[in-house]
Amino acid sequence: MTVRAFATRLAVCAMLSGAALLPTPGQTNAVQVPPQHPTSAPYAGSTDIFEYPDRDKKLQIDRVMDILRITPGKAVADLGAGGGWFTVRAARRVEPGGVVYAEDINPQFVKAIGQRAQREQLRDVKPVLGTTEDPRLPAESVDAVLMLKVYHEVADTKAFLRNLKPALKPGARVGIIDRNGNGADHGLKQSIVEEEMRAAGFREVEHYDFTKADGQDYFLVFVAR
C-alpha cells in the first residue's frame, strides 16, 4: 500500500468515527449533565432558631400547603425536617387519616422529631433517617414533598432525585423553597435548581416569590414527568 493510499484510508476512518458521534436528524447529543455547584454543609446546630414566632406569617406556610394541595388524608414528606417546624404544621393539616414522613440525615434531629410528635400528640408523624443520596421513603407513598431551605445542602442532587422519584404517587407535587446564592452561602441560584430538576425528569408547573419580602426566596413546584 502506498503512503498516499494509507493516508486516505486513515482519513476515511476518522470521518466515519466522527460521524458516529454526531446526532442523526431529530436526535440530540448525549444525556445532559446537571451543572455542578458548591454546596453548604448540612445544618447541625440548635433547631430553635427556626421556631421564631412570625415564621408562619413570613413564609405564608398555609399558602404553601394550599399550593402543594396538602389536605386531610394526604401523605407528605418533609425532607430535611430539622426540628420538625414544618412537620408539625403539615401533620395538623393532614388529620385525620394522613401521614407526614419527617426525613433528615441527622440522627439527633430524627430522634427529636419523634419526641416532639409524642409531646404534641401527632400520631401520624413518621420520622425517617435518610442519607445524603436517598431520602429512604416507601415506594409510591407521598402526595406532596417540601424541601424548605434544604436543596442547597444536597451534594449529589442527581442521586437524591433519582431515589426520590419512586416514592411519589402519580401527580405528587414537589415543592422547593430556597434563596438565590452560590451554593456555599446557604442558597442556590434558581436557574440551577430548575435545570437540575429538568435533567432528573421533573416538570416545573408553578413558581412564586412570596415566601420572603426581599424577593430573594423562590418557591418552585414540580411534578415527575
Side-chain angles (χ1 to χ4, degrees):
M1 180 183 294
T2 66
V3 172
R4 183 175 181 180
F6 182 70
T8 301
R9 177 173 292 183
L10 285 177
V12 171
C13 289
M15 290 174 62
L16 291 174
S17 298
L21 298 175
L22 294 174
T24 57
Q27 289 183 325
T28 59
N29 284 322
V31 176
Q32 295 287 329
V33 177
Q36 299 299 306
H37 55 79
T39 55
S40 303
Y43 182 75
S46 171
T47 58
D48 290 346
I49 66 170
F50 304 116
E51 301 290 335
Y52 53 89
D54 59 347
R55 195 180 188 202
D56 292 70
K57 183 178 179 181
K58 285 185 175 179
L59 278 175
Q60 299 187 49
I61 200 63
D62 285 330
R63 184 179 176 189
V64 168
M65 289 192 284
D66 287 343
I67 290 168
L68 293 178
R69 300 175 184 172
I70 296 174
T71 55
K74 296 290 186 178
V76 179
D78 181 7
L79 302 186
W85 182 86
F86 176 67
T87 293
V88 298
R89 285 154 178 80
R92 294 181 185 121
R93 264 285 187 118
V94 300
E95 291 178 341
V99 62
V100 178
Y101 296 95
E103 183 273 347
D104 206 283
I105 64 172
N106 187 321
Q108 293 180 336
F109 289 172
V110 173
K111 180 180 178 180
I113 288 173
Q115 294 170 340
R116 181 174 185 174
Q118 287 185 332
R119 284 195 312 272
E120 302 190 27
Q121 299 182 340
L122 298 170
R123 291 171 292 182
D124 296 323
V125 171
K126 297 184 181 298
V128 178
L129 181 61
T131 72
T132 55
E133 297 181 355
D134 189 349
R136 291 181 172 173
L137 299 173
E140 294 191 12
S141 60
V142 294
D143 301 288
V145 174
L146 182 62
M147 298 180 70
L148 177 56
K149 302 294 182 75
V150 169
Y151 192 96
H152 62 264
E153 296 180 355
V154 181
D156 190 347
T157 50
K158 184 176 180 181
F160 188 85
L161 295 171
R162 182 178 66 244
N163 289 316
L164 172 62
K165 284 185 81 172
L168 305 177
K169 295 181 182 180
R173 297 195 140 206
V174 179
I176 297 175
I177 296 177
D178 222 303
R179 59 176 288 274
N180 281 295
N182 62 21
D185 61 352
H186 293 282
L188 186 62
K189 193 175 180 181
Q190 177 178 333
S191 60
I192 292 178
V193 176
E194 291 170 329
E195 187 172 346
E196 289 186 345
M197 292 295 286
R198 282 194 298 269
F202 289 85
R203 176 172 59 88
E204 185 175 348
V205 292
E206 296 175 46
H207 61 269
Y208 304 91
D209 63 0
F210 63 78
T211 55
K212 198 170 183 182
D214 63 9
Q216 285 301 301
D217 279 16
Y218 51 82
F219 172 31
L220 312 176
V221 183
F222 299 88
V223 296
R225 290 199 298 265

